[in-house]
Amino acid sequence: LLLLLLLLSSEFHNMFGKGNKNTSTEEMVADPSEWFIVNSLAEFCLMHTAEIKYMCMFGYTFLHGCKVFSSVPQDASFSYKFISMVFACTGGGILVPIFLNKVPVPLAMDAYPIAIACSFFLHYFFPILREVLQKSPIVDASFTFLYEVTRASVVVKFTGIAREVIPASDFSFPVFGPIFCGAISGCGGAFLPLNKGLDPIKSKGLASPMFTALVGATFYHLFLSLYGEENVMQANRKAHFATVLYFVLNNYNNKWGFNAPRPKDVPVEKKKKL
């Protein structure tokens, strides 16, 4: 629906805005779909300040910590748990930069290892925090929102880098390379360490983070390649915000919507007749 609104607004502007020769220059330059990103929610999701960026980064690493500490053995060593969390938080940020001959995220951004370390120590010394997140829907929804905002930012960032690095071959723009890089950046941590192979998708197929990363990278890349700034003003920001909304709403739907796990029916014991 978001994509359809953007397309309709841009087509309406192209058909009627450019055809009217008596229209002033200011009206011709006006962006009809600017409302989509001119609001407080869009500014937060696009992380326009460093404070919002660090807040979302902490929420992203903390939620990853919940998944790591729930899956690793309780008697595992300190170093095993810490490295597992590093891989979970930076999987795509390690693999994709290697593909594109760039510096991996943990080495290029000093704030990211700090956020990982802070979240790890909170989980390690205060495990009760995980219980708070599991029992409070409000806390869970808040951290899920921060988590998906950061994950969408990672997918958009590496999809954009791949668009610039990978040259066009058989088409006027690279088609599959940026999509693959963006998809891996959003779910690469599931395959690290690499001795896991394809076990994460062996029995149940693509998990929700893998599927959403693939869809988000595909939408972002094709939208900018087919329309871009020439047809849609601020196309990069609008596509980024649409990707964030898709990630957040999909995760909420998986937890509390139509795809939420249903409670199992408790069998009723039949009373024995005397």
Side-chain angles (χ1 to χ4, degrees), residues 26 32 161 176 247:
E26 294 182 358
I161 295 176
F176 296 105
F247 280 21

Side-chain angles (χ1 to χ4, degrees), residues 11-77:
E11 291 297 329
F12 180 84
H13 177 65
N14 292 335
M15 292 173 60
F16 298 97
K18 294 182 179 180
N20 188 3
K21 297 182 179 179
N22 297 327
T23 306
S24 62
T25 305
E26 294 182 358
E27 294 178 350
M28 292 290 293
V29 178
D31 185 3
S33 58
E34 188 178 12
W35 58 269
F36 187 61
I37 56 174
V38 182
N39 52 76
S40 300
L41 178 62
E43 292 180 358
F44 187 94
C45 292
L46 297 177
M47 297 187 293
H48 68 293
T49 64
E51 292 78 8
I52 295 177
K53 181 179 179 180
Y54 297 146
M55 184 193 309
C56 295
M57 191 182 302
F58 174 76
Y60 178 80
T61 56
F62 186 86
L63 202 59
H64 264 304
C66 294
K67 299 176 182 179
V68 170
F69 278 82
S70 300
S71 60
V72 299
Q74 294 183 355
D75 57 348
S77 64

Side-chain angles (χ1 to χ4, degrees), residues 57-58 60-66 68-69 72-73 76-89 112-127 129-130:
M57 191 182 302
F58 174 76
Y60 178 80
T61 56
F62 186 86
L63 202 59
H64 264 304
C66 294
V68 170
F69 278 82
V72 299
S77 64
F78 177 90
S79 57
Y80 180 85
K81 293 179 180 179
F82 183 75
I83 298 301
S84 298
M85 185 164 174
V86 172
F87 280 159
C89 294
Y112 203 48
I114 296 175
I116 296 175
C118 293
S119 298
F120 176 81
F121 287 123
L122 287 175
H123 282 288
Y124 190 81
F125 293 107
F126 305 99
L129 295 176
R130 291 194 295 276

Side-chain angles (χ1 to χ4, degrees), residues 118-224:
C118 293
S119 298
F120 176 81
F121 287 123
L122 287 175
H123 282 288
Y124 190 81
F125 293 107
F126 305 99
I128 193 175
L129 295 176
R130 291 194 295 276
E131 298 181 6
V132 174
L133 188 140
Q134 293 172 359
K135 295 182 179 180
S136 174
I138 297 177
V139 177
D140 191 6
S142 301
F143 276 91
T144 299
F145 181 80
L146 300 177
Y147 172 87
E148 294 297 349
V149 168
T150 303
R151 195 167 71 92
S153 175
V154 172
V155 172
V156 167
K157 177 181 178 180
F158 283 110
T159 304
I161 295 176
R163 284 167 46 85
E164 299 176 357
V165 173
I166 301 176
S169 56
D170 297 325
F171 301 97
S172 59
F173 60 90
V175 179
F176 296 105
I179 294 176
F180 292 157
C181 290
I184 294 174
S185 66
C187 63
F191 299 94
L192 290 180
L194 295 177
N195 60 356
K196 292 182 179 179
L198 298 178
D199 290 343
I201 61 175
K202 184 177 181 180
S203 59
K204 298 183 179 179
L206 294 178
S208 179
M210 303 175 188
F211 181 76
T212 53
L214 178 61
V215 174
T218 303
F219 161 74
Y220 180 80
H221 174 54
L222 294 182
F223 182 80
L224 293 185

